[in-house]
């Protein structure tokens, strides 16, 4: 789906230039009645849908003059849908998406600047790295709603049987993870399972822990460097897989979700996953399966990870930008963010909502470590690199797959990543 | 040796049917497995524990029944429109000679090479101007337009296969042009019409991109759009409910094919008698 983004964007932008004059706002109201706003929501879990409906219901009750209507849509194909809606001038007033997807719409001038509607209190509540991820050309183009981080889920019993002291504290190092993986690799079982069939997202997100940034600059002028900071994690995975033999090989070619099955079956003692998998593990793991989330992983530069939050934006062509921005501000209030993130098993992007959720769920399996990992989310330069999606699918993922299959060495990987970026961003 | 031929034929047929049917069997099996079993290393065709909740969740979660009804309306209407428009056009195309026919064929082929992303925005704006952008009637028109070239191409092959001498014989017996068409051409063309209808129905039933972009209101969503809602962000997939939804989604197609299959056979026999 993503490989067609470039074609879709190019074709629609060209036609859109000729036809934007036909556009109108997303609001369908007129006259003296209440203002009517459309909110295209992508919530997909039953609990999250219910939480969204409650928040919108609360707003509508408290604001009889500004009524919000939810338009439920799906994640699949939403980029194509949005680019058509924006170019045709029929986008909803309020748009739910993710920072990586929404940034190009901001660059193209489709999103309202929310900076004037962001109170000093809210601004202080959002960590700088997360706020940076929704700031384009100095304008806040969305408010973050939900975050995920990469965490290590561990089979407590297997670690204890291997004589491993289960790490605690604010963070653990990648070297610790490697040692635990080695210690638990025995009797035909492996220390780690990591679904890396599409490894780019994880490697790019975790690179800040080693000082890796990948991109400098924005748009088509962004420059890519695949230096030691960017190469550290792929090389560590390579060493664990092919020197230590502590990663279950098949998982390197599987999706993250597929790598859960050997974890449940005791074939792997640990697995690296998106934090949201805590909800699935709680639901799907066999009875008596004793699991724990290990502390956030830290590289040579600390436990930083790049943030790609889910977001709410306002359509610049909306007839009611102010009201829509006020709704977004309401939606991202502390209680609402805590509720929606609890439902989705994700991390609230504001400090106050994270604290509220921590207080509510203290001691509940995995939540403390997951919420702690949210403290280290930082800005993600790749969000603002113009052709990132194309580079990710056509260059980086095949290159990483070749590297992990030992078809190319580290120098070959760096050359493919850098030369590939130059080609796609010409 | 000859004794073994028939069992071998049956064995080959059974293997072929198994090969074709296995994905469907697997889908049905997945639709009654629990999430834990679907995410287990143990692979089994039959579920360890039958889990009907997936069907309840599929039916309740995203308005699946309403979407199926929408898909059925659009697919039946666009199929009927395609066939009604394509039959006379195909007859003319097959029987015409000369430059007009060549130009017609050329246009049909050219119309097939445009990527849909090139036409979707102008199409969206035109339909919006007509008040048909977020509307099942608008989607029906789009599906019909999209399916017509192939339906026409398919049908003109069937028309061309009917010997023109049969029509000439009818005319020599004193039958009018309309009588020839009604009593000779249409009965022989019936299998082609049925095959084209089947193709058109399936194309419309499965169409995703136009529906995704043109339909804005959830109450108008068609089945493919609703089924994608079982796929969430961050790679989350509700596999059990998605499988259950897919099984339910297949039922109208199977029923439609069951009805038309009989007509297809009937058409073939009718053609044989007339020929």
């Amino acid at each position: 789906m993503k490989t067609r983004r470039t074609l879709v964007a190019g074709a629609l932008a060209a036609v859109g230039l000729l036809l934007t004059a036909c556009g109108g706002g997303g609001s369908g109201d007129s006259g003296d009645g209440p203002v009517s706003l459309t909110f295209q929501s992508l919530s997909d879990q039953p609990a999250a849908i219910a939480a969204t409906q409650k928040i919108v219901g609360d707003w509508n009750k408290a604001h009889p003059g500004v009524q919000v209507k939810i338009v439920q849509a799906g994640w699949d194909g939403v980029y194509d849908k949005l680019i058509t809606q924006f170019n045709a001038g029929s986008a909803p007033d309020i748009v739910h998406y993710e920072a990586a997807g929404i940034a190009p719409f901001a660059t193209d001038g489709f999103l309202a600047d929310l900076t004037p509607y962001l109170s000093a209190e809210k601004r202080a509540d959002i960590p700088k790295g997360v706020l940076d991820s929704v700031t384009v050309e100095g304008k806040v183009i969305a408010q973050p709603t939900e975050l995920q981080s990469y965490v290590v889920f561990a089979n407590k019993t297997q670690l204890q049987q291997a004589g491993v002291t289960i790490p605690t504290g604010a963070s653990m190092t990648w070297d610790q993870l490697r040692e635990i993986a080695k210690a638990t690799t025995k009797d035909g079982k492996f220390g780690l399972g990591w679904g890396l069939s599409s490894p780019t997202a994880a490697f790019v997100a975790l690179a800040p822990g080693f000082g890796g940034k990948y991109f400098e600059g924005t748009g088509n002028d962004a420059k890519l460097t695949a230096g030691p900071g960017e190469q550290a994690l792929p090389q560590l995975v390579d060493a664990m897989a092919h020197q230590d033999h502590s990663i279950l090989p098949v998982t390197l070619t599987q999706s993250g979700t597929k790598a859960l099955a050997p974890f449940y079956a005791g074939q792997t003692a640990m697995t690296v996953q998106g934090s949201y998998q805590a909800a699935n593990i709680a639901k799907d793991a066999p009875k008596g399966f004793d699991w724990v989330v290990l502390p956030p992983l830290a590289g040579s530069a600390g436990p930083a990870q790049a943030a790609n939050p889910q977001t709410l934006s306002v359509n610049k062509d909306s007839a009611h930008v102010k009201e829509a921005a006020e709704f977004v501000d309401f939606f991202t209030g502390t209680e609402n963010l805590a509720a929606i993130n609890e439902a989705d098993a994700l991390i609230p992007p504001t400090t106050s909502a994270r604290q509220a959720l921590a207080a509510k769920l203290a001691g509940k399996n995995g939540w403390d470590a997951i919420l702690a990992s949210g403290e280290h989310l930082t800005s993600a330069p790749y969000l603002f690199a113009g052709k990132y999606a194309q580079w990710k699918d056509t260059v980086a993922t095949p290159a990483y797959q070749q590297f992990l299959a030992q078809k190319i060495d580290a120098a070959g990987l760096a050359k493919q990543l850098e030369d590939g970026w130059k080609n796609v961003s010409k | 040796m000859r004794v073994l031929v028939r069992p071998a034929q049956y064995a080959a047929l059974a293997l072929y049917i198994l090969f074709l049917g296995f994905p469907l069997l697997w889908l049905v099996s997945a639709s009654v497995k629990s999430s834990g079993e679907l995410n287990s290393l143990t692979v089994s065709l039959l579920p360890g524990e039958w889990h009907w909740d997936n069907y309840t969740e599929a039916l309740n979660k995203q308005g699946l029944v309403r979407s199926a009804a929408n898909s059925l309306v659009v697919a039946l209407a666009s199929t009927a429109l395609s066939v009604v428009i394509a039959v006379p056009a195909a007859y003319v195309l097959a029987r015409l000679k000369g430059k007009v026919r060549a130009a017609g064929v050329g246009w049909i082929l050219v119309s097939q090479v445009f990527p849909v992303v090139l036409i979707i925005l102008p199409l969206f704006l035109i339909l919006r101007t007509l008040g048909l952008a977020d509307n099942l009637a608008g989607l029906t028109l789009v599906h019909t337009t999209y399916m017509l070239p192939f339906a026409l191409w398919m049908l003109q092959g069937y028309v061309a296969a009917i010997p023109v001498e049969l029509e000439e014989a009818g005319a020599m017996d004193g039958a009018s042009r309309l009588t020839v068409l009604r009593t000779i051409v249409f009965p022989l063309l019936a299998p082609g019409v049925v095959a084209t209808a089947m193709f058109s129905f399936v194309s419309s039933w499965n169409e995703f991109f136009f529906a995704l972009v043109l339909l804005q209101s959830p109450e108008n969503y068609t089945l493919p759009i609703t089924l994608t809602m079982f796929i969430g962000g961050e790679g989350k997939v509700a596999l059990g409910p998605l499988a259950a939804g897919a099984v339910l989604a297949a039922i109208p197609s199977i029923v439609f094919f069951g009805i038309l299959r009989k007509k297809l056979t009937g058409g073939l026999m009718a053609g044989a008698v007339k020929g």
Side-chain angles (χ1 to χ4, degrees):
Chain A
M1 179 58 72
K2 286 183 179 170
T3 51
R4 59 188 273 176
R5 282 187 173 185
T6 307
L7 178 63
V8 174
L12 293 185
V15 182
L17 281 173
L18 300 170
L19 298 168
T20 42
C22 302
S27 306
D29 61 310
S30 61
D32 298 330
V35 168
S36 173
L37 300 174
T38 50
F39 165 29
Q40 185 164 288
S41 168
L42 304 179
S43 289
D44 53 290
Q45 303 298 305
I49 292 171
T52 303
Q53 285 169 343
K54 182 182 180 306
I55 294 169
V56 171
D58 290 347
W59 167 272
N60 286 340
K61 204 170 168 185
H63 300 81
V66 183
Q67 293 296 289
V68 174
K69 181 189 171 198
I70 299 173
V71 178
Q72 191 67 43
W75 282 92
D76 201 17
V78 71
Y79 182 86
D80 294 343
K81 192 177 178 98
L82 279 173
I83 201 167
T84 308
Q85 289 176 324
F86 277 124
N87 276 290
S90 66
D93 300 283
I94 301 143
V95 177
H96 176 193
Y97 203 17
E98 59 175 359
I102 208 75
F105 293 119
T107 308
D108 290 342
F110 291 124
L111 302 181
D113 180 8
L114 300 183
T115 312
Y117 308 103
L118 198 64
S119 66
E121 191 186 354
K122 177 67 79 63
R123 185 180 278 274
D125 203 14
I126 304 171
K128 184 179 180 306
V130 178
L131 192 61
D132 285 348
S133 70
V134 289
T135 305
V136 175
E137 294 165 0
K139 297 169 183 167
V140 176
I141 50 88
Q143 282 216 36
T145 58
E146 297 175 271
L147 288 159
Q148 74 130 348
S149 61
Y150 288 93
V151 296
V152 184
F153 294 93
N155 182 330
K156 216 169 161 183
T157 311
Q158 266 178 276
L159 264 58
Q160 284 165 341
Q161 283 171 350
V164 170
T165 305
I166 294 172
T168 53
S171 65
M172 64 181 275
T173 66
W174 283 94
D175 289 337
Q176 271 180 284
L177 176 77
R178 187 173 177 180
E179 289 308 316
I180 297 171
K182 272 200 253 187
T184 48
T185 298
K186 54 185 175 185
D187 305 328
K189 294 174 180 175
F190 291 81
L192 186 67
W194 193 348
L196 285 173
S197 63
S198 301
T200 312
F203 286 165
V204 171
L206 291 163
F210 299 91
K213 291 176 72 176
Y214 280 89
F215 295 97
E216 294 269 6
T218 59
N220 289 337
D221 297 328
K223 299 269 184 296
L224 182 142
T225 307
E230 290 77 16
Q231 296 262 25
L233 184 56
Q235 288 179 7
L236 176 72
V237 174
D238 176 55
M240 290 177 74
H242 301 112
Q243 289 174 28
D244 304 348
H245 301 286
S246 60
I247 297 182
L248 178 61
V250 71
T251 60
L252 295 175
T253 63
Q254 290 178 321
S255 67
T257 303
K258 287 278 180 202
L260 283 172
F263 180 59
Y264 296 150
Q267 270 192 11
T268 57
M270 298 178 289
T271 180
V272 178
Q273 298 281 343
S275 52
Y276 67 88
Q277 294 283 18
N280 291 331
I281 294 173
K283 181 164 59 108
D284 297 337
K287 278 182 186 169
F289 187 83
D290 195 5
W291 60 281
V292 65
V293 179
L294 301 184
L297 286 162
S300 54
Q305 293 189 30
N308 175 23
Q310 290 185 37
T311 58
L312 290 186
S313 301
V314 173
N315 174 7
K316 196 178 179 182
D317 288 335
S318 166
H320 304 287
V321 168
K322 179 175 171 286
E323 289 84 352
E326 285 168 356
F327 170 76
V328 169
D329 200 50
F330 174 83
F331 192 99
T332 52
T334 299
E335 277 182 28
N336 292 338
L337 283 187
I340 202 99
N341 279 275
E342 183 184 358
D344 263 337
L346 287 169
I347 302 167
T350 61
T351 306
S352 63
R354 208 154 44 235
Q355 286 169 348
L357 205 51
K360 183 179 179 190
L361 301 171
K364 197 170 175 184
N365 211 354
W367 271 103
D368 290 342
I370 289 169
L371 291 171
S373 71
E375 303 286 340
H376 309 295
L377 290 164
T378 183
S379 63
Y382 73 91
L383 297 179
F384 311 111
K387 298 282 178 63
Y388 170 74
Q390 188 183 349
W391 173 80
K392 174 174 169 268
D393 292 339
T394 62
V395 176
T397 294
Y400 282 128
Q401 285 169 343
Q402 287 178 52
F403 177 70
L404 294 178
Q406 298 198 302
K407 299 270 171 59
I408 55 173
D409 61 10
L413 173 65
K415 184 171 166 41
Q416 280 200 23
L417 295 178
E418 291 177 356
D419 290 352
W421 174 252
K422 283 177 192 158
N423 280 332
V424 300
S425 61
K426 267 180 190 167
Chain B
M1 194 66 184
R2 288 183 65 186
V3 177
L4 292 175
V5 171
R6 186 48 64 91
Q9 286 173 331
Y10 279 121
L13 182 64
L15 280 173
Y16 182 69
I17 290 169
L18 189 66
F19 181 76
L20 285 183
F22 188 76
L24 188 61
L25 276 177
W26 194 259
L27 181 71
V28 173
S29 167
S31 73
V32 287
K33 283 180 178 172
S34 67
S35 177
E37 198 173 350
L38 286 166
N39 289 297
S40 147
L41 278 183
T42 312
V43 178
S44 64
L45 187 58
L46 289 176
E49 188 182 330
W50 293 72
H51 195 80
W52 297 103
D53 292 0
N54 290 330
Y55 282 89
T56 315
E57 197 175 324
L59 285 167
N60 290 340
K61 188 183 173 189
Q62 308 279 10
L64 199 78
V65 175
R66 185 181 58 202
S67 305
N70 289 342
S71 277
L72 197 61
V73 167
V74 172
L76 287 174
S78 53
T79 298
L81 270 175
S82 298
V83 169
V84 166
I85 297 170
V87 166
Y91 180 80
V92 173
L93 194 71
R95 292 294 188 239
L96 263 185
K97 304 289 178 206
K99 287 181 182 173
V100 177
R101 181 184 186 278
V105 170
W107 172 245
I108 291 164
L109 293 177
V110 167
S111 71
Q112 292 291 287
V113 302
F114 291 111
V116 289
V117 293
L118 277 179
I119 58 169
I120 190 69
L121 184 54
L123 191 63
F124 184 87
L125 290 168
I126 291 165
L127 288 173
R128 202 179 62 175
T129 307
L130 296 171
L132 295 172
D134 184 16
N135 188 297
L136 294 182
L139 187 65
T140 302
L141 280 179
V142 171
H143 281 188
T144 306
T145 312
Y146 190 63
M147 292 177 321
L148 261 179
F150 195 87
L152 186 61
W153 194 250
M154 207 169 154
L155 270 174
Q156 70 95 26
Y158 281 94
V159 176
I162 300 170
V164 75
E165 290 79 7
L166 287 177
E167 295 180 53
E168 289 168 355
M172 285 182 71
D173 288 342
S176 69
R177 187 80 175 173
L178 273 178
T179 309
V180 168
L181 287 173
R182 187 171 52 81
T183 57
I184 299 174
V185 177
F186 288 159
L188 290 172
L189 196 56
V193 172
V194 171
T196 306
M198 284 175 160
F199 166 81
S200 300
F201 183 87
V202 171
S203 297
S204 176
W205 184 258
N206 292 331
E207 199 282 323
F208 174 72
F209 186 69
F210 285 124
L212 171 76
V213 174
L214 296 176
L215 301 177
Q216 311 282 327
S217 312
E219 56 269 25
N220 287 335
Y221 286 170
T222 53
L223 206 50
I225 307 301
T226 301
L227 285 178
T228 61
M229 290 192 190
F230 291 101
I231 302 166
E234 321 286 2
K236 285 178 272 187
V237 179
L239 201 54
L242 176 62
V247 169
L248 294 171
I251 291 170
S253 273
I254 292 168
V255 171
F256 184 76
F257 270 62
I259 294 165
L260 283 197
R261 191 182 60 81
K262 290 175 189 167
K263 300 285 180 194
L264 184 66
T265 315
L268 281 169
M269 286 191 287
V273 172
K274 292 288 178 189

